[in-house]
Amino acid sequence: MAAAARAPPPPRALSAEPRRGSPAAVGVSAPWPGARVRAARHREENFRSHCMLTSSNLNSRPLLCPPCNCAQMALADTRISYQPDVEKHTGVLAYELVQGNLVQWNSFMDKSIPDPPTAVLLHGILGSRKNWGSFAKRLAQEFPMWQFLLVDLRCHGDSASVKKRGPHNVASTALDVLKLVVQLRLTPRVLVGHSFGGKVALSMVEQAAKPLARPVRVWILDATPGKVRAGGDGEDHPAELIEFLRRMPTQVSSKQEVVDALVKGQFSVDVAQWVATNLRRSNPVGQQSSSSFSWTFDLNGISEMYKSYEDTNLWRIVENVPRGVHINFLKAERSLHRWALEDLQRIHTAEELAADEGGGVEMHVLEDAGHWVHADNPDGLFRILSSTFRIETTIRGIQD
């Protein structure tokens, strides 16, 4: 894929720890002791990509987001700054770049400094980049030479206001992310996708040899390459939830109104409270009277995306893994209905084939976890994923 004609300067980033000698910067409190997050200094040029994260509020606290209970950073004064000529940036998504404190972006001025290794973290349907916030900061603290790109996929979060042409499907969503990493001049070495995001990661590998590195390691968290088996064991079915939300008013008077409506509609309290975190106050800051809330996502687009998630079959990339690609599947122990015996047998067969062809396929099981793996057992997930960053660090000869 060709890069954009006018490539932007290095992206603005959030660092897991302040670097020595850097001026004090405004940040947010981190979800574990001793960690601090700050906004990096402005670059000499204005960042020409569509979305740029700025943050303030020293006393922000993590918010728990059911049912995944991920620690979402509450950026009270966060703004997404948009360039007025948005049609020139149709491939760009809202994002955060979480950097370890040893990451240097001087490679743009001094080519003798290698680009920092990058991992891309992708959320699932009705999620956002915030689902990965605290987990990414934990990774950045453990692996300070790495940086982690957190993306709001099309129709989700702050990317919902970026007008995208249809179809809204797995392939177009993957292409969005590929365009973003080109514009940010990043070369991802690790892709991590949860649920829908897992298929997006697989589609990225299928669509483009570049800008993906070789080797590249892909993690698909609690999703299979083919048939989607959701809504079993009494769980809320995503398609039914999306359609219910589409029938609700586009603006509501309070988040509790949405929670009450969902519970009355026989959805679980956890899911109802989680969905309500996707509401944003409609009135400008400071105008609290007659407040109303509206969705941060495009429900019509998300409905198409979920249908594509059910229909998309990517077994071909798993059963014919390109050289230099290592695909890891992670099955949540308690997510039984999402996995059929035929899926597990097919992945096991792919493991043997990939080993013979110079690629890799591997199956992992996360104990004591349901579908929301990064909330149900974050410590276990961290231990499993950490092996990838240690391996990649050794391959590149980086000393953490």
Side-chain angles (χ1 to χ4, degrees):
M1 180 188 306
R6 291 186 68 188
R12 188 166 187 162
L14 296 180
S15 174
E17 292 183 9
R19 301 183 184 115
R20 293 182 180 178
S22 62
V26 179
V28 295
S29 60
W32 65 91
R36 298 195 322 185
V37 183
R38 66 171 178 80
R41 70 177 66 179
H42 283 284
R43 303 294 172 184
E44 293 181 1
E45 300 180 54
N46 289 329
F47 185 54
R48 290 185 175 81
S49 286
H50 186 106
C51 302
M52 177 174 64
L53 183 72
T54 60
S55 63
S56 61
N57 184 13
L58 285 170
N59 298 316
S60 296
R61 298 178 181 177
L63 297 178
L64 292 182
C65 152
C68 56
N69 294 328
C70 56
Q72 294 191 122
M73 296 313 298
L75 304 180
D77 297 322
T78 296
R79 301 288 180 272
I80 299 297
S81 173
Y82 297 103
Q83 298 291 356
D85 202 4
V86 296
E87 65 271 12
K88 293 183 180 179
H89 304 287
T90 55
V92 180
L93 304 169
Y95 70 92
E96 290 179 41
L97 191 63
V98 179
Q99 295 183 327
N101 68 329
L102 298 182
V103 171
Q104 294 180 321
W105 268 101
N106 291 336
S107 58
F108 292 90
M109 294 162 279
D110 182 356
K111 291 301 180 183
S112 66
I113 299 176
D115 288 337
T118 301
V120 179
L121 306 183
L122 305 172
H123 63 78
I125 287 290
L126 293 177
S128 75
R129 68 181 189 269
K130 294 179 181 179
N131 295 161
W132 283 110
S134 64
F135 197 89
K137 294 174 180 73
R138 182 176 177 183
L139 285 169
Q141 193 175 49
E142 179 72 15
F143 303 100
M145 294 295 295
W146 282 76
Q147 59 187 9
F148 302 87
L149 180 65
L150 283 59
V151 179
D152 278 346
L153 300 177
R154 64 164 56 202
C155 303
H156 289 76
D158 292 310
S159 291
S161 59
V162 183
K163 299 304 180 183
K164 298 287 186 184
R165 294 181 179 178
H168 300 298
N169 56 28
V170 170
S172 62
T173 304
L175 187 58
D176 290 343
V177 183
L178 288 169
K179 288 180 179 179
L180 178 64
V181 298
V182 166
Q183 292 202 24
L184 297 183
R185 301 176 181 175
L186 302 178
T187 306
R189 296 192 171 274
V190 176
L191 307 177
V192 182
H194 175 243
S195 196
F196 175 86
K199 277 193 176 179
V200 172
L202 279 177
S203 183
M204 288 174 66
V205 172
E206 182 182 50
Q207 290 189 57
K210 292 183 178 181
L212 297 183
R214 292 293 187 269
V216 61
R217 294 181 178 270
V218 185
W219 283 86
I220 295 93
L221 308 183
D222 211 40
T224 69
K227 184 176 180 180
V228 174
R229 301 172 179 85
D233 300 330
E235 288 187 359
D236 300 319
H237 195 289
E240 295 175 0
L241 175 61
I242 293 167
E243 290 308 306
F244 187 93
L245 295 176
R246 291 177 70 188
R247 293 193 297 269
M248 292 191 67
T250 56
Q251 291 195 341
V252 294
S253 60
S254 69
K255 293 184 178 183
Q256 190 60 46
E257 179 182 336
V258 171
V259 173
D260 292 343
L262 286 169
V263 172
K264 187 176 180 180
Q266 304 302 309
F267 293 96
S268 67
V269 174
D270 282 347
V271 165
Q273 292 175 338
W274 169 61
V275 168
T277 65
N278 290 292
L279 288 166
R280 175 181 294 163
R281 193 179 296 276
S282 303
N283 292 345
V285 176
Q287 298 182 16
Q288 302 295 329
S289 59
S290 302
S291 63
S292 62
F293 294 81
S294 57
W295 296 114
T296 61
F297 43 47
D298 172 2
L299 286 167
N300 291 329
I302 287 175
S303 179
E304 288 184 48
M305 292 168 75
Y306 186 77
K307 181 66 166 57
S308 171
Y309 176 51
E310 290 187 317
D311 294 342
T312 299
N313 187 323
L314 292 170
W315 277 108
R316 58 189 175 276
I317 192 70
V318 177
E319 294 174 337
N320 187 25
V321 181
R323 183 173 295 275
V325 175
H326 193 105
I327 299 175
N328 296 270
F329 290 94
L330 184 140
K331 173 185 176 295
E333 184 182 36
R334 299 200 306 268
S335 187
L336 300 178
H337 67 274
R338 283 181 167 81
W339 296 84
L341 181 59
E342 63 187 82
D343 295 327
L344 301 176
Q345 291 174 335
R346 203 165 174 180
I347 289 174
H348 178 67
T349 301
E351 285 181 318
E352 299 174 352
L353 291 174
D356 294 336
E357 298 296 329
V361 176
E362 194 170 351
M363 188 74 197
H364 308 259
V365 176
L366 180 61
E367 297 178 351
D368 192 27
H371 183 59
W372 300 98
V373 291
H374 42 341
D376 293 344
N377 189 357
D379 292 338
L381 179 62
F382 184 83
R383 285 192 298 271
I384 292 174
L385 290 182
S386 290
S387 63
T388 282
F389 298 105
R390 291 194 180 95
I391 290 171
E392 286 296 310
T393 297
T394 301
I395 290 173
R396 291 171 61 87
I398 300 171
Q399 298 296 321
D400 282 348

